[in-house]
Short mmCIF file of all heavy atoms in Angstrom, two decimals:
data_model
loop_
_atom_site.label_atom_id
_atom_site.label_comp_id
_atom_site.label_asym_id
_atom_site.label_seq_id
_atom_site.Cartn_x
_atom_site.Cartn_y
_atom_site.Cartn_z
N LYS A 1 13.86 -9.22 -31.33
CA LYS A 1 13.42 -7.86 -31.06
C LYS A 1 11.90 -7.73 -31.18
O LYS A 1 11.27 -6.97 -30.43
CB LYS A 1 14.11 -6.89 -32.04
CG LYS A 1 15.57 -6.64 -31.71
CD LYS A 1 15.70 -5.78 -30.46
CE LYS A 1 17.16 -5.58 -30.05
NZ LYS A 1 17.92 -4.84 -31.06
N VAL A 2 11.30 -8.46 -32.13
CA VAL A 2 9.84 -8.40 -32.26
C VAL A 2 9.18 -8.93 -31.00
O VAL A 2 8.27 -8.31 -30.43
CB VAL A 2 9.38 -9.17 -33.51
CG1 VAL A 2 7.87 -9.38 -33.49
CG2 VAL A 2 9.77 -8.42 -34.78
N THR A 3 9.63 -10.09 -30.52
CA THR A 3 9.03 -10.65 -29.31
C THR A 3 9.44 -9.89 -28.05
O THR A 3 8.80 -10.03 -27.01
CB THR A 3 9.40 -12.14 -29.14
OG1 THR A 3 10.83 -12.28 -29.15
CG2 THR A 3 8.81 -12.97 -30.27
N GLN A 4 10.48 -9.09 -28.15
CA GLN A 4 10.85 -8.24 -27.02
C GLN A 4 9.73 -7.24 -26.72
O GLN A 4 9.58 -6.79 -25.58
CB GLN A 4 12.15 -7.49 -27.30
CG GLN A 4 12.75 -6.81 -26.08
CD GLN A 4 14.06 -6.11 -26.41
OE1 GLN A 4 14.13 -5.30 -27.35
NE2 GLN A 4 15.10 -6.41 -25.66
N GLY A 5 8.92 -6.94 -27.73
CA GLY A 5 7.75 -6.11 -27.50
C GLY A 5 6.81 -6.76 -26.50
O GLY A 5 6.21 -6.07 -25.66
N LEU A 6 6.68 -8.08 -26.55
CA LEU A 6 5.87 -8.79 -25.57
C LEU A 6 6.52 -8.74 -24.20
O LEU A 6 5.85 -8.63 -23.17
CB LEU A 6 5.67 -10.24 -26.01
CG LEU A 6 4.76 -10.45 -27.23
CD1 LEU A 6 4.88 -11.87 -27.76
CD2 LEU A 6 3.31 -10.13 -26.87
N ASN A 7 7.86 -8.84 -24.16
CA ASN A 7 8.60 -8.71 -22.90
C ASN A 7 8.31 -7.35 -22.26
O ASN A 7 8.05 -7.25 -21.06
CB ASN A 7 10.09 -8.87 -23.18
CG ASN A 7 10.92 -9.12 -21.93
OD1 ASN A 7 11.81 -9.96 -21.92
ND2 ASN A 7 10.66 -8.38 -20.87
N PHE A 8 8.37 -6.29 -23.07
CA PHE A 8 8.08 -4.94 -22.58
C PHE A 8 6.66 -4.86 -22.02
O PHE A 8 6.42 -4.25 -20.98
CB PHE A 8 8.25 -3.91 -23.69
CG PHE A 8 9.67 -3.64 -24.10
CD1 PHE A 8 9.96 -3.19 -25.37
CD2 PHE A 8 10.71 -3.83 -23.21
CE1 PHE A 8 11.27 -2.93 -25.76
CE2 PHE A 8 12.03 -3.58 -23.58
CZ PHE A 8 12.30 -3.13 -24.87
N ALA A 9 5.71 -5.46 -22.76
CA ALA A 9 4.32 -5.41 -22.33
C ALA A 9 4.14 -6.15 -21.01
O ALA A 9 3.48 -5.65 -20.09
CB ALA A 9 3.42 -6.02 -23.41
N VAL A 10 4.72 -7.35 -20.91
CA VAL A 10 4.62 -8.12 -19.66
C VAL A 10 5.22 -7.33 -18.51
O VAL A 10 4.64 -7.23 -17.42
CB VAL A 10 5.32 -9.49 -19.81
CG1 VAL A 10 5.41 -10.20 -18.45
CG2 VAL A 10 4.58 -10.36 -20.81
N SER A 11 6.40 -6.73 -18.72
CA SER A 11 7.09 -5.99 -17.67
C SER A 11 6.25 -4.82 -17.17
O SER A 11 6.08 -4.62 -15.96
CB SER A 11 8.44 -5.49 -18.19
OG SER A 11 9.09 -4.71 -17.23
N ALA A 12 5.73 -4.01 -18.10
CA ALA A 12 4.94 -2.84 -17.70
C ALA A 12 3.64 -3.26 -17.02
O ALA A 12 3.24 -2.66 -16.00
CB ALA A 12 4.64 -1.97 -18.92
N MET A 13 2.97 -4.29 -17.55
CA MET A 13 1.70 -4.73 -16.97
C MET A 13 1.93 -5.37 -15.60
O MET A 13 1.16 -5.16 -14.66
CB MET A 13 1.00 -5.70 -17.93
CG MET A 13 0.56 -5.04 -19.23
SD MET A 13 -0.11 -6.21 -20.45
CE MET A 13 -1.73 -6.55 -19.72
N VAL A 14 3.00 -6.14 -15.47
CA VAL A 14 3.33 -6.74 -14.17
C VAL A 14 3.66 -5.66 -13.16
O VAL A 14 3.23 -5.71 -11.99
CB VAL A 14 4.52 -7.72 -14.31
CG1 VAL A 14 5.13 -8.04 -12.94
CG2 VAL A 14 4.06 -9.01 -14.98
N GLY A 15 4.44 -4.63 -13.57
CA GLY A 15 4.81 -3.56 -12.66
C GLY A 15 3.59 -2.89 -12.04
O GLY A 15 3.56 -2.63 -10.82
N GLN A 16 2.59 -2.62 -12.86
CA GLN A 16 1.38 -1.98 -12.34
C GLN A 16 0.58 -2.94 -11.46
O GLN A 16 0.07 -2.55 -10.40
CB GLN A 16 0.52 -1.47 -13.49
CG GLN A 16 1.11 -0.28 -14.23
CD GLN A 16 0.13 0.37 -15.18
OE1 GLN A 16 -1.08 0.16 -15.08
NE2 GLN A 16 0.64 1.17 -16.10
N ASN A 17 0.46 -4.18 -11.88
CA ASN A 17 -0.39 -5.13 -11.15
C ASN A 17 0.23 -5.59 -9.85
O ASN A 17 -0.47 -5.83 -8.87
CB ASN A 17 -0.73 -6.32 -12.04
CG ASN A 17 -1.85 -6.01 -13.02
OD1 ASN A 17 -3.03 -6.15 -12.70
ND2 ASN A 17 -1.47 -5.57 -14.21
N ILE A 18 1.56 -5.71 -9.83
CA ILE A 18 2.20 -6.11 -8.57
C ILE A 18 2.09 -4.98 -7.56
O ILE A 18 1.94 -5.21 -6.35
CB ILE A 18 3.68 -6.51 -8.81
CG1 ILE A 18 4.16 -7.44 -7.69
CG2 ILE A 18 4.58 -5.31 -8.91
CD1 ILE A 18 3.63 -8.83 -7.78
N ALA A 19 2.14 -3.72 -8.03
CA ALA A 19 1.97 -2.58 -7.13
C ALA A 19 0.53 -2.50 -6.61
O ALA A 19 0.29 -2.06 -5.49
CB ALA A 19 2.34 -1.28 -7.83
N ALA A 20 -0.43 -2.95 -7.45
CA ALA A 20 -1.84 -2.97 -7.04
C ALA A 20 -2.19 -4.26 -6.30
O ALA A 20 -3.36 -4.47 -5.95
CB ALA A 20 -2.73 -2.81 -8.26
N ARG A 21 -1.20 -5.16 -6.11
CA ARG A 21 -1.35 -6.45 -5.42
C ARG A 21 -2.38 -7.36 -6.11
O ARG A 21 -3.12 -8.10 -5.45
CB ARG A 21 -1.72 -6.23 -3.95
CG ARG A 21 -0.72 -5.34 -3.21
CD ARG A 21 -0.93 -5.35 -1.72
NE ARG A 21 -0.04 -4.40 -1.06
CZ ARG A 21 1.26 -4.58 -0.83
NH1 ARG A 21 1.83 -5.71 -1.22
NH2 ARG A 21 1.99 -3.67 -0.23
N GLU A 22 -2.37 -7.31 -7.44
CA GLU A 22 -3.24 -8.20 -8.24
C GLU A 22 -2.40 -9.40 -8.68
O GLU A 22 -1.96 -9.51 -9.82
CB GLU A 22 -3.78 -7.43 -9.46
CG GLU A 22 -4.72 -6.29 -9.12
CD GLU A 22 -6.10 -6.79 -8.71
OE1 GLU A 22 -6.39 -7.99 -8.89
OE2 GLU A 22 -6.89 -5.97 -8.18
N TYR A 23 -2.18 -10.36 -7.77
CA TYR A 23 -1.25 -11.45 -8.03
C TYR A 23 -1.80 -12.46 -9.04
O TYR A 23 -1.05 -12.96 -9.90
CB TYR A 23 -0.90 -12.16 -6.71
CG TYR A 23 -0.28 -11.23 -5.70
CD1 TYR A 23 -0.86 -11.06 -4.44
CD2 TYR A 23 0.88 -10.52 -6.00
CE1 TYR A 23 -0.29 -10.20 -3.50
CE2 TYR A 23 1.46 -9.66 -5.06
CZ TYR A 23 0.87 -9.51 -3.83
OH TYR A 23 1.42 -8.65 -2.91
N ARG A 24 -3.06 -12.80 -8.95
CA ARG A 24 -3.62 -13.75 -9.90
C ARG A 24 -3.58 -13.18 -11.31
O ARG A 24 -3.27 -13.90 -12.27
CB ARG A 24 -5.07 -14.08 -9.51
CG ARG A 24 -5.73 -15.09 -10.44
CD ARG A 24 -7.13 -15.46 -9.99
NE ARG A 24 -7.11 -16.11 -8.68
CZ ARG A 24 -8.20 -16.53 -8.04
NH1 ARG A 24 -9.40 -16.36 -8.59
NH2 ARG A 24 -8.10 -17.11 -6.87
N ARG A 25 -3.88 -11.92 -11.43
CA ARG A 25 -3.83 -11.27 -12.74
C ARG A 25 -2.38 -11.22 -13.26
O ARG A 25 -2.15 -11.41 -14.45
CB ARG A 25 -4.42 -9.86 -12.63
CG ARG A 25 -4.48 -9.10 -13.94
CD ARG A 25 -5.17 -7.75 -13.75
NE ARG A 25 -5.10 -6.95 -14.96
CZ ARG A 25 -5.91 -7.08 -15.99
NH1 ARG A 25 -6.89 -7.98 -15.95
NH2 ARG A 25 -5.79 -6.32 -17.06
N THR A 26 -1.44 -10.98 -12.37
CA THR A 26 -0.03 -10.97 -12.75
C THR A 26 0.38 -12.32 -13.34
O THR A 26 1.08 -12.39 -14.35
CB THR A 26 0.85 -10.64 -11.53
OG1 THR A 26 0.50 -9.34 -11.04
CG2 THR A 26 2.32 -10.67 -11.89
N ARG A 27 -0.06 -13.41 -12.69
CA ARG A 27 0.27 -14.75 -13.18
C ARG A 27 -0.29 -14.97 -14.58
O ARG A 27 0.39 -15.53 -15.45
CB ARG A 27 -0.28 -15.79 -12.20
CG ARG A 27 0.20 -17.20 -12.46
CD ARG A 27 -0.29 -18.17 -11.39
NE ARG A 27 0.36 -17.91 -10.10
CZ ARG A 27 -0.24 -17.33 -9.07
NH1 ARG A 27 -1.51 -16.94 -9.17
NH2 ARG A 27 0.41 -17.13 -7.94
N SER A 28 -1.50 -14.52 -14.82
CA SER A 28 -2.11 -14.68 -16.15
C SER A 28 -1.36 -13.86 -17.20
O SER A 28 -1.20 -14.30 -18.34
CB SER A 28 -3.57 -14.23 -16.10
OG SER A 28 -4.33 -15.06 -15.24
N ILE A 29 -0.89 -12.69 -16.82
CA ILE A 29 -0.13 -11.85 -17.75
C ILE A 29 1.13 -12.58 -18.23
O ILE A 29 1.45 -12.59 -19.42
CB ILE A 29 0.23 -10.52 -17.07
CG1 ILE A 29 -1.02 -9.64 -16.92
CG2 ILE A 29 1.30 -9.77 -17.87
CD1 ILE A 29 -0.81 -8.44 -16.02
N VAL A 30 1.84 -13.21 -17.30
CA VAL A 30 3.08 -13.92 -17.65
C VAL A 30 2.77 -15.09 -18.59
O VAL A 30 3.47 -15.31 -19.59
CB VAL A 30 3.79 -14.42 -16.38
CG1 VAL A 30 5.01 -15.26 -16.74
CG2 VAL A 30 4.21 -13.24 -15.51
N LEU A 31 1.74 -15.85 -18.30
CA LEU A 31 1.38 -17.00 -19.14
C LEU A 31 0.96 -16.56 -20.54
O LEU A 31 1.33 -17.21 -21.54
CB LEU A 31 0.27 -17.81 -18.47
CG LEU A 31 0.67 -18.54 -17.18
CD1 LEU A 31 -0.55 -19.17 -16.52
CD2 LEU A 31 1.71 -19.61 -17.48
N TRP A 32 0.21 -15.49 -20.64
CA TRP A 32 -0.17 -14.98 -21.95
C TRP A 32 1.06 -14.51 -22.73
O TRP A 32 1.16 -14.72 -23.95
CB TRP A 32 -1.17 -13.83 -21.81
CG TRP A 32 -2.60 -14.28 -21.73
CD1 TRP A 32 -3.41 -14.29 -20.63
CD2 TRP A 32 -3.38 -14.79 -22.81
NE1 TRP A 32 -4.66 -14.78 -20.95
CE2 TRP A 32 -4.68 -15.09 -22.28
CE3 TRP A 32 -3.13 -15.03 -24.15
CZ2 TRP A 32 -5.70 -15.62 -23.07
CZ3 TRP A 32 -4.16 -15.55 -24.95
CH2 TRP A 32 -5.42 -15.84 -24.40
N GLY A 33 2.02 -13.89 -22.04
CA GLY A 33 3.24 -13.46 -22.71
C GLY A 33 4.02 -14.63 -23.28
O GLY A 33 4.53 -14.57 -24.41
#
């Protein structure tokens, strides 16, 4: 559950960046998560 907070963060950040078509940034978000 604690690390699920990181899952939530990755999901929300990816959702915004994929809509903004920031693909390289999206990839970095997943790796940091």
Side-chain angles (χ1 to χ4, degrees):
K1 285 289 176 64
V2 167
T3 56
Q4 191 179 53
L6 290 167
N7 195 137
F8 288 154
V10 171
S11 177
M13 294 174 75
V14 164
Q16 290 191 17
N17 280 273
I18 203 74
R21 304 192 186 283
E22 295 285 348
Y23 301 123
R24 181 177 298 180
R25 183 176 173 82
T26 299
R27 190 175 291 106
S28 297
I29 288 168
V30 175
L31 292 173
W32 273 107

